[in-house]
Amino acid sequence: MKTRHLASLLLAGAAFLCGGMAAAQTGPQTAASPANRVLRVAPHADLRTLDPVFASITITRMHGLMIYETLFAWDNQLNPQPQMVDQVETAADNLTWNFRLREGLKFHDGQPVTSRDVVASLKRWMARDTVGVKLAEYTASLEVIDERRFALRLSKPMGLVPFALGSATGQIPAIMRESDATTEPTRPVTETIGSGPFRFNRGEWRSGARIVYDRNPDYVPRAEPPNGLAGGRVVKLDRVEWHIMPDPATAAAALQTGEIDLWEQPSQDLIPVIRRSRGIAVERYASLANQAMLRPNHLHPPFNDPRARLALAYATDQGDFMAAGYGDEQWWKRCGSFFICGGPNGTEAGATGYATPNLERARSLLAESGYKGERVVMISSHDIPAIGRMAEVAAASLQKIGLNVDLQFADWGNVTSRQPRRDPPDQGGWNLFVTTASGGTMQSPVTNIGTNSACERAWAGWPCDAEAERLRNAVVDAVDEAGRKAALDALHARLAVSQPYRVLGQFDQPYARRSNISGVLNAPVMVFWNIEKN
């Protein structure tokens, strides 16, 4: 009773504050639009990086899907469907793929989308993303045929071409203008001109406060009904406003009072409170569970030694992390699979030995790695409460085995800006961070950003394991289901030893909406077409 009473008091106080805050954030264009044509959303984080090909951050991917499109798009079963293309021809040997863009594609500045834009965009994406890098390994050439047609020629067959070109994970293969796509891949694009259903309103962007998207009146959606990220992206709103509310009690109160219409990732400890509120629904929007992870930096001691990484597995109890991050066990479960339990690739081969902590073994492995009490820098943020709480659990768990953990908190934007830095920890780098990723991202060896062990081409943390990469290729190359399953188990057993990251468990992330909001799609990330406000 005391916990519930305290939560109610917090919400009441936050409700008083958020009314004035929301009024201050409301711009003149909002007043000009009918109330039922403006959707106000509290997203899980602030938007700092605008380029979805440069960064794999979820909030940047959500932004990218607002303003850009991809050649294919995943439906709610993660099957690729045509999006920007209207015709695909493949040769009998599956080495040549010819694509034609559908008519009516225009960038927000009025320029038509051409195959030159596509080729430049894909080449940049192939230099950045886990899926793109894998496709690049199979690519012999990528060429313009004419204004609407282009050809992809492979050096060996790969059945995942449409799946890759519709990827909704990591850095998405967003199609940009050629002038933007020729930007050096290691430098983020700062322009925001796409061809998608929304336009980024740069004039009303207030970092740390509000991000605004206006309906693109020139956008022509596909004729098919919406399905996941695929089908017709029909916008039924004039604009979408993301209001940054890092304090969960403030966001919950704003939802209750109608200051916002939708809370993308409500804090689990407040779900029981808002669920009891009249006119609010709490629902799932993704069919696969999400994954939490503890990511070590493989470049610097102590976690450049696999024994120190194994110590992380033996030192941590998934139940501690999940309970701290996500509360009620109805929202989470233990799982030793890098590729999501309950998904098509959910093997736990080789990982069962880490299901229960073994602190003695962890201390022994840490000593064998040569660790002698040096400072270990863990970076985190309370902007996403579950991540901040899990980071605190991680620090406490690792201190028990003798790690000298320096837990440094900052805002999430600074944390994600620091992640790509390869500098030593005492020069602005890092040793560890806790993060989460969608089930759609982690369920496949092709898309799982954390198990990519391709050294400098891997995601932040940079695992470098030639054997793991060989086994990952074997999964991609497998010609039948039996061969694929055998290769998958062998890969997972290798990953269990090399520990590119420690799996902390998996969880369902619900969203909360007011009852007058409908049309939220089941998709790997939240999207805002098809949504209506009555």
Side-chain angles (χ1 to χ4, degrees):
M1 290 297 294
K2 289 182 179 179
T3 302
R4 291 182 179 179
H5 180 60
L6 177 60
S8 299
L9 288 175
L10 286 172
L11 296 184
F16 174 79
L17 293 172
C18 73
M21 178 182 65
Q25 290 179 345
T26 301
Q29 290 189 27
T30 302
S33 298
N36 67 341
R37 301 287 295 178
V38 179
L39 184 75
R40 297 179 177 89
V41 179
H44 70 277
D46 190 16
L47 178 68
R48 297 293 185 88
T49 304
L50 301 175
D51 181 356
V53 180
F54 175 80
S56 62
I57 308 164
T58 301
I59 195 69
T60 297
R61 194 179 318 140
M62 290 170 58
H63 158 80
L65 289 168
M66 295 287 276
I67 66 173
Y68 296 106
E69 285 200 282
T70 52
L71 297 171
F72 291 79
W74 293 353
D75 63 22
N76 60 21
Q77 299 299 312
L78 305 183
N79 295 315
Q81 306 296 340
Q83 188 60 35
M84 295 182 78
V85 301
D86 71 357
Q87 188 177 92
V88 183
E89 297 175 348
T90 58
D93 58 7
N94 281 325
L95 292 178
T96 300
W97 295 69
N98 291 325
F99 304 91
R100 187 180 71 182
L101 297 172
R102 63 188 179 98
E103 293 184 0
L105 297 175
K106 288 196 300 184
F107 287 111
H108 299 156
D109 62 1
Q111 296 181 52
V113 179
T114 71
S115 54
R116 293 189 305 278
D117 302 304
V118 171
V119 168
S121 296
L122 292 183
K123 286 181 177 179
R124 184 168 183 266
W125 169 71
M126 286 178 178
R128 292 289 307 175
D129 178 63
T130 294
V131 183
V133 167
K134 182 55 61 180
L135 181 58
E137 292 175 7
Y138 288 72
T139 298
S141 65
L142 181 61
E143 301 169 355
V144 171
I145 298 175
D146 57 33
E147 289 294 289
R148 288 178 56 203
R149 294 186 301 154
F150 63 98
L152 172 67
R153 295 184 173 84
L154 305 178
S155 56
K156 57 181 179 178
M158 181 186 186
L160 296 173
V161 170
F163 180 84
L165 296 179
S167 177
T169 69
Q171 291 104 323
I172 61 174
I175 303 305
M176 301 178 171
R177 299 176 301 182
E178 183 181 20
S179 57
D180 297 328
T182 52
T183 300
E184 167 62 38
T186 58
R187 222 165 22 95
V189 170
T190 56
E191 294 293 332
T192 52
I193 303 299
S195 62
F198 291 93
R199 293 175 174 175
F200 181 67
N201 189 326
R202 189 178 286 271
E204 294 204 42
W205 179 27
R206 302 290 182 269
S207 182
R210 186 182 64 202
I211 302 103
V212 176
Y213 301 91
D214 297 317
R215 181 178 66 87
N216 176 10
D218 297 326
Y219 180 74
V220 179
R222 295 188 69 91
E224 299 92 340
N227 183 342
L229 300 178
R233 298 181 175 182
V234 178
V235 176
K236 302 178 181 180
L237 304 158
D238 288 338
R239 63 194 256 151
V240 176
E241 299 175 355
W242 292 356
H243 292 268
I244 308 306
M245 297 181 178
D247 176 55
T250 300
L255 183 69
Q256 291 177 307
T257 60
E259 297 284 347
I260 60 171
D261 305 300
L262 189 150
W263 189 4
E264 184 225 347
Q265 290 190 16
S267 181
Q268 260 81 357
D269 56 343
L270 291 177
I271 286 176
V273 177
I274 59 177
R275 242 181 179 165
R276 292 195 300 270
S277 301
R278 190 173 179 180
I280 293 176
V282 179
E283 300 169 334
R284 293 174 60 184
Y285 64 84
S287 55
L288 279 180
N290 301 315
Q291 186 181 84
M293 71 178 83
L294 176 61
R295 180 69 161 185
N297 190 330
H298 296 235
L299 296 181
H300 305 295
F303 303 115
N304 60 339
D305 191 301
R307 291 168 293 189
R309 299 195 300 271
L310 269 179
L312 298 180
Y314 282 116
T316 48
D317 187 327
Q318 290 187 344
D320 293 341
F321 287 88
M322 293 292 97
Y326 303 102
D328 195 318
E329 200 165 350
Q330 69 170 310
W331 298 111
W332 59 266
K333 67 179 291 185
R334 297 172 183 267
C335 170
S337 177
F338 288 98
F339 304 125
I340 306 295
C341 295
N345 303 297
T347 177
E348 295 184 85
T352 56
Y354 314 127
T356 303
N358 185 335
L359 300 187
E360 184 178 346
R361 179 66 176 140
R363 294 187 190 101
S364 175
L365 285 165
L366 197 58
E368 291 172 20
S369 74
Y371 178 71
K372 292 182 173 59
E374 295 86 353
R375 185 173 65 114
V376 171
V377 175
M378 182 186 299
I379 56 175
S380 193
S381 173
H382 284 303
D383 287 359
I384 304 176
I387 286 178
R389 292 193 295 265
M390 287 191 291
E392 291 174 343
V393 171
S397 299
L398 300 182
Q399 285 164 356
K400 290 179 181 177
I401 65 168
L403 277 166
N404 177 16
V405 180
D406 178 9
L407 179 53
Q408 301 178 3
F409 283 101
D411 65 76
W412 186 241
N414 283 328
V415 172
T416 57
S417 297
R418 191 171 173 182
Q419 285 172 0
R421 295 188 60 172
R422 296 171 180 248
D423 310 84
D426 59 356
Q427 298 177 27
W430 54 274
N431 294 109
L432 293 164
F433 65 82
V434 172
T435 192
T436 62
S438 71
T441 298
M442 310 308 275
Q443 58 85 33
S444 167
V446 179
T447 59
N448 185 304
I449 58 174
T451 58
N452 176 358
S453 301
C455 308
E456 70 277 358
R457 294 181 299 170
W459 177 53
W462 306 283
C464 190
D465 187 335
E467 177 62 10
E469 284 301 284
R470 184 189 70 78
L471 292 168
R472 192 160 69 103
N473 286 338
V475 176
V476 177
D477 293 341
V479 295
D480 57 41
E481 183 59 22
R484 190 194 67 82
K485 180 65 168 61
L488 182 68
D489 285 345
L491 168 62
H492 199 277
R494 175 66 184 186
L495 296 171
V497 173
S498 65
Q499 286 288 312
Y501 61 89
R502 167 57 170 157
V503 178
L504 299 180
Q506 61 188 51
F507 63 96
D508 293 319
Q509 176 60 62
Y511 74 98
R513 61 171 176 83
R514 294 188 63 81
S515 57
N516 63 330
I517 304 301
S518 61
V520 178
L521 294 167
N522 180 331
V525 295
M526 182 166 283
V527 293
F528 298 94
W529 57 84
N530 197 59
I531 292 180
E532 294 185 81
K533 183 178 178 181
N534 301 313

